[in-house]
Amino acid sequence: MADLQQRRSLAEFLRARRERLTPREAGILPGPRRRTPGLRREEVAQLSGVSVTWYTWLEQARDITVSRQVLRSLARALMLSPAERRHLFALAGVPLPERAPGRGPGPALQRLVDALEPHPAYLLDANWDLVGWNRAEAGLIGDPGELEPAERNLLWMVFTDPAIRALLVDWEGQARDLVGQFRADARQRPGDARYEELTGGLRELSAEFRTWWEAHDIAELGTTRREFSHPGVGRLTFDYVKLAALDAPGIKLFACMPADSATREKLPALGEWAARTADGSPAAPAEAGAPRASREADAAGPGTGWTGP
């Protein structure tokens, strides 16, 4: 199993949790001559479906094999909280199955994203569906709220919106990198209908995605610098800070930090651009030398582009 010190920590944890749990809480009628605080070892063994000898060895920090199934049984018998259950698995040196993605980010995370103004920021779920964004991000990519929910996905936007090719610097390199990052981050989850719908649809619609997906390349979801040309603000360069939300499994926060002073000075303009496009006002002309998306690309979708994670 684990090393001696870790086995001792596991033994101490089990003993402490056993002594904390009363017989009545565990559904056991206490006898009149009971002196042991909490549960007895044989009671925990019985509730967990293991032998008394094996459980005794576990509390004695013996070097024995512990399966995931037995750890689940011990966690139920000792009525461990989710945090205690994760601690039990960690002490036993057994990988804990990944928690299922949560239902959404919650209002507190959205307020955090809003508070990051004027820096663009957004939230992605386990399948890279966009589930939250602030006004600066809307100024950067267009308002995702105008898209159909199934199209509000980072990979989908990158591979199906023609405007991305005009806006992203080195679209091919960045898009291929995103495919490797998604494969490493999302992983295939049997029975996940959204995952299958997304990857299956992209394989049908995009030859590039199909080719790169079948290559099975893996890329780190680490620090990323992205460059693109905004139709109204011009050239922008961002470093992306990525944070996982512990209280919302599967949700990640991406904050765009300006990589140079020129980008930093343009941040307020993103919010202004979002406001103008939202109320239908005429868009301001692009900076001199900044490429604009074609009319065909503008007609293909409401977004102005995407920098990606």
Side-chain angles (χ1 to χ4, degrees), residues 192-267:
D192 188 328
R194 175 55 178 159
Y195 179 94
E196 297 297 338
E197 174 193 35
L198 176 65
T199 56
L202 285 172
R203 286 198 300 270
E204 291 183 7
L205 291 176
S206 171
E208 291 104 333
F209 180 87
R210 182 170 59 253
T211 299
W212 298 333
W213 185 254
E214 293 174 355
H216 289 266
D217 291 335
I218 299 296
E220 292 288 341
L221 193 67
T223 301
T224 305
R225 175 167 291 186
R226 301 292 187 194
E227 292 183 88
F228 64 98
S229 294
H230 190 278
V233 179
R235 181 64 63 96
L236 297 166
T237 305
F238 286 107
D239 289 323
Y240 283 77
V241 177
K242 308 173 184 67
L243 303 173
L246 294 178
D247 58 348
I251 301 296
K252 294 182 179 63
L253 184 151
F254 294 80
C256 307
M257 309 306 294
D260 51 49
S261 58
T263 300
R264 185 180 304 108
E265 293 172 358
K266 296 174 183 177
L267 288 180

Side-chain angles (χ1 to χ4, degrees), residues 31-86:
R33 301 177 59 183
R34 189 180 190 94
R35 296 180 179 177
T36 304
L39 298 183
R40 298 189 177 100
R41 286 176 176 173
E42 55 266 29
E43 291 169 337
V44 174
Q46 182 179 5
L47 291 170
S48 304
V50 300
S51 70
V52 177
T53 300
W54 185 91
Y55 181 77
T56 300
W57 286 350
L58 199 58
E59 280 202 9
Q60 291 174 345
R62 301 274 191 102
D63 190 5
I64 59 177
T65 301
V66 185
S67 69
R68 182 178 288 110
Q69 181 179 356
V70 168
L71 288 174
R72 289 196 187 103
S73 297
L74 287 172
R76 286 194 298 268
L78 295 172
M79 302 177 68
L80 300 185
S81 68
E84 291 171 332
R85 180 174 178 268
R86 292 192 293 272

Side-chain angles (χ1 to χ4, degrees), residues 89-114:
F89 273 72
L91 290 176
V94 176
L96 186 65
E98 293 185 9
R99 292 181 288 173
R103 295 183 178 179
L109 268 179
Q110 181 59 55
R111 289 198 299 271
L112 174 59
V113 170
D114 292 336

